[in-house]
Amino acid sequence: QNENIINGEIYAHEFVHNIMDAQMTNRVEAQKQVTNWFWEGVATYSQTFLIHNKNYDEYYGAKRKLADQLYRDKTLNEDWYNKFLSSTSSDYRYWRDNYEHWRLYDVGMFVTEILVATYGVDPLMDVFKKIGEGMMWDEAFEATYKVKWNDVRPIVSKTIVKMIKGY
């Protein structure tokens, strides 16, 4: 059997998606407004924390495993991250056709970790609430974090490169 099913990671990941959906209750089509790397990144960050919250070494080890995969791929430099994170597409076909689709999960998780370290965890759900109220993802991000995504994106890209070297 799949280790992610046995240890509960898939269940935790999908549970977090349900919580995110619940924040967008006023709009049936709201999920289509959320960029995929944010959607999957928040769920991946949360699943990692939920499953390994009682043992820091396990939590760190799970993050390190993802960081190692990113670090080994030398094509993933600051420019690559900046370009990847410049798209706010919610169409999985875009990601499948232009990138290794699992990058939505690991890169998105590190973006989420940076946001949580900088602003705390509550704003993550506020973004989803604002989307449920009718905002597009970039508008909800700016309204929540008081900064435009395109202004902070290069900083996040540079930070990811430094983070994955540190693991």
Side-chain angles (χ1 to χ4, degrees), residues 18-129:
N18 285 319
I19 293 169
M20 292 156 47
D21 270 334
Q23 304 308 306
M24 301 184 292
T25 56
N26 294 332
R27 297 197 48 221
V28 175
E29 297 292 314
Q31 185 182 341
K32 292 180 180 176
Q33 307 305 325
V34 183
T35 182
N36 290 123
W37 56 259
F38 189 73
W39 178 257
E40 296 300 350
V42 170
T44 303
Y45 171 84
S46 300
Q47 92 185 28
T48 305
F49 180 77
L50 289 168
I51 296 300
H52 305 291
N53 69 38
K54 293 184 178 163
N55 184 321
Y56 181 77
D57 289 337
E58 286 181 15
Y59 174 68
Y60 182 82
K63 290 191 321 180
R64 183 177 184 174
K65 183 178 176 182
L66 293 174
D68 285 347
Q69 292 170 8
L70 294 172
Y71 184 70
R72 282 195 306 262
D73 187 340
K74 298 306 177 193
T75 65
L76 305 183
N77 57 31
E78 190 176 325
D79 290 335
W80 184 93
Y81 288 108
N82 202 31
K83 181 180 178 203
F84 180 86
L85 295 171
S86 69
S87 176
T88 57
S89 176
S90 62
D91 183 349
Y92 277 97
R93 289 173 297 194
Y94 167 81
W95 298 102
R96 181 195 62 222
D97 293 346
N98 293 286
Y99 297 98
E100 297 167 318
H101 74 279
W102 58 85
R103 294 294 170 231
L104 297 170
Y105 300 83
D106 50 16
V107 174
M109 185 202 79
F110 284 107
V111 172
T112 303
E113 185 171 30
I114 292 165
L115 292 173
V116 169
T118 307
Y119 298 98
V121 72
D122 289 342
L124 293 175
M125 290 302 123
D126 289 341
V127 170
F128 294 107
K129 287 178 188 174

